[in-house]
Amino acid sequence: MKKILVILAVVALSTAWARFCVAQSDAPYTEGTVWNITMVKTKAGLGDQYLKGLAKTLTIAKKVVGSIEEQEKTATQRLEVREIMGAKLMREITLK
């Protein structure tokens, strides 16, 4: 019985704290999804090859992550056809 009371108290305090935090936001927007965007420049004429390689990797990743050697081989192949231009971490917002 004591365990149940402790759990209920924690839930009640967590709910109250969450409402308090939400109530403080008077921003003219609501926060949305966070995106991690990587800008990639493929070498001339290798754009299709790069995208086909990505599609193949995503299909494989959904099923099973390959061995370390396979992962290293795929990463090395990508280095031969692309140049990372930069990366950004962005949050989507919706104006109220």
Side-chain angles (χ1 to χ4, degrees):
M1 185 69 171
K2 188 175 183 179
K3 249 185 177 177
I4 293 174
L5 290 175
V6 170
I7 292 172
L8 288 175
V10 169
V11 169
L13 288 173
S14 298
T15 303
W17 180 254
R19 286 185 181 173
F20 175 73
C21 290
V22 171
Q24 287 186 355
S25 176
D26 59 348
Y29 58 88
T30 55
E31 294 181 347
T33 309
V34 174
W35 298 81
N36 187 6
I37 301 171
T38 302
M39 282 74 67
V40 175
K41 177 181 177 182
T42 59
K43 294 186 180 178
L46 296 176
D48 285 342
Q49 179 182 342
Y50 177 70
L51 292 174
K52 286 178 185 176
L54 281 181
K56 182 180 176 184
T57 303
L58 288 174
T59 303
I60 292 170
K62 288 180 181 175
K63 294 179 182 179
V64 175
V65 176
S67 68
I68 299 294
E69 293 81 20
E70 291 172 334
Q71 292 175 32
E72 288 175 354
K73 181 181 174 187
T74 301
T76 302
Q77 289 172 343
R78 284 195 189 133
L79 289 174
E80 295 172 3
V81 298
R82 74 172 184 193
E83 175 184 352
I84 301 291
M85 303 300 290
K88 298 267 185 202
L89 185 62
M90 305 175 89
R91 177 178 297 278
E92 188 175 332
I93 63 167
T94 305
L95 297 176
K96 292 182 181 177

